[in-house]
Amino acid sequence: MRKTLKRTLAILLAVVMIGGAAPAAGLAGLGDWLSVTAAAKNYFGTCGENLTWSLDTDTGELVISGTGEMNNYSSSSSAPWYLYRSYIKTLTIGNSVTSIGGWSFYNCTRLTSVTIGNNVTRIGQSAFYNCTGLTSVTIPDSVTRIGNGAFFGTAYYNNAYNWTDGVLYIGKYLIEAKYSLSGAYTIKESTLCIADDAFYSCEGLTSVTIGNSVTRIGQSAFYNCTGLTSVTIPDSV
């Protein structure tokens, strides 16, 4: 009887050990590799040809490092850290990263602050969509393009104090105008970039004066502005 019990326990232990090893073996075969260290609670993988990401669930810090462009994602093909988004509180984009992929951090509702390295030139479409807790973003002067809806649904977007004369500014970047904007509008000095679709369907807008600091006007920035008859575009664009 005692021998039979020992034999049964040994078999059960072997099954548990094999079961515990199986997920690790499966993960090793993934194209976008992921490693989980139970003690440190670290998740990490790749997010571009020469970029990696790492998430420390104890501190909530997500770090993107390496060189070059980040992959673009979508609402149906999420970034590799999406499953762990409830841990993410802060984000740091390294100085050698050159772009932030579309839909890369959408629905990271606990994310509160973002620091972007000084070589990023593009923030992709809906990159921070619905990051409802996001209150602090550092956008460097290197950024020349901000995609449609990049900050839609964030605290920046939702808080009224960020709207100036009916237009949403984040730092030096004009993100979006309210549909009710009408008449003549002068973009404030020091603005560097007008985002994609920024004045989309502002049918009551009649004229726009763009300051000398603006270097880029985004795709479809004045799409369907049916009343717009005059635009002053400086040589800086």
Side-chain angles (χ1 to χ4, degrees):
M1 178 69 180
R2 188 170 296 175
K3 289 182 178 180
T4 302
L5 180 59
K6 287 182 178 180
R7 187 178 300 111
T8 301
L9 289 173
I11 292 172
L12 288 172
L13 180 60
V15 170
V16 170
M17 292 176 68
I18 292 171
L27 288 173
L30 291 177
D32 187 12
W33 55 271
L34 169 67
S35 178
V36 181
T37 305
K41 296 182 180 179
N42 289 331
Y43 297 80
F44 57 93
T46 60
C47 54
E49 186 175 354
N50 296 300
L51 295 182
T52 61
W53 64 275
S54 63
L55 171 62
D56 185 331
T57 58
D58 287 333
T59 63
E61 183 181 20
L62 176 62
V63 177
I64 309 296
S65 56
T67 303
E69 295 188 347
M70 186 187 298
N71 292 335
N72 287 306
Y73 303 99
S74 68
S75 57
S76 59
S77 180
S78 305
W81 48 80
Y82 187 78
L83 290 176
Y84 315 107
R85 63 192 182 281
S86 62
Y87 292 108
I88 301 173
K89 298 177 182 178
T90 62
L91 169 66
T92 301
I93 309 289
N95 283 329
S96 295
V97 180
T98 58
S99 73
I100 297 175
W103 295 88
S104 49
F105 304 102
Y106 90 103
N107 278 347
C108 291
T109 56
R110 297 188 68 194
L111 178 65
T112 60
S113 66
V114 177
T115 301
I116 301 174
N118 54 21
N119 280 308
V120 170
T121 61
R122 178 179 63 85
I123 299 175
Q125 175 183 352
S126 302
F128 296 97
Y129 179 88
N130 203 40
C131 292
T132 54
L134 184 59
T135 58
S136 175
V137 182
T138 301
I139 302 178
D141 291 346
S142 58
V143 173
T144 60
R145 180 169 183 172
I146 297 176
N148 182 34
F151 294 94
F152 186 85
T154 66
Y156 272 120
Y157 187 93
N158 293 328
N159 291 339
Y161 65 81
N162 283 300
W163 290 92
T164 303
D165 297 329
V167 176
L168 176 68
Y169 288 93
I170 297 179
K172 297 180 179 180
Y173 302 89
L174 190 159
I175 305 299
E176 184 174 348
K178 291 184 177 180
Y179 294 141
S180 58
L181 187 68
S182 61
Y185 185 77
T186 299
I187 294 171
K188 69 179 183 179
E189 291 298 325
S190 80
T191 303
L192 296 178
C193 174
I194 299 173
D196 295 352
D197 301 315
F199 292 91
Y200 183 92
S201 289
C202 287
E203 297 178 2
L205 190 65
T206 57
S207 67
V208 175
T209 301
I210 301 173
N212 292 324
S213 58
V214 173
T215 60
R216 184 184 182 279
I217 299 174
Q219 178 178 328
S220 302
F222 297 96
Y223 180 83
N224 203 38
C225 292
T226 53
L228 184 62
T229 60
S230 173
V231 181
T232 302
I233 301 176
D235 292 340
S236 57
V237 174

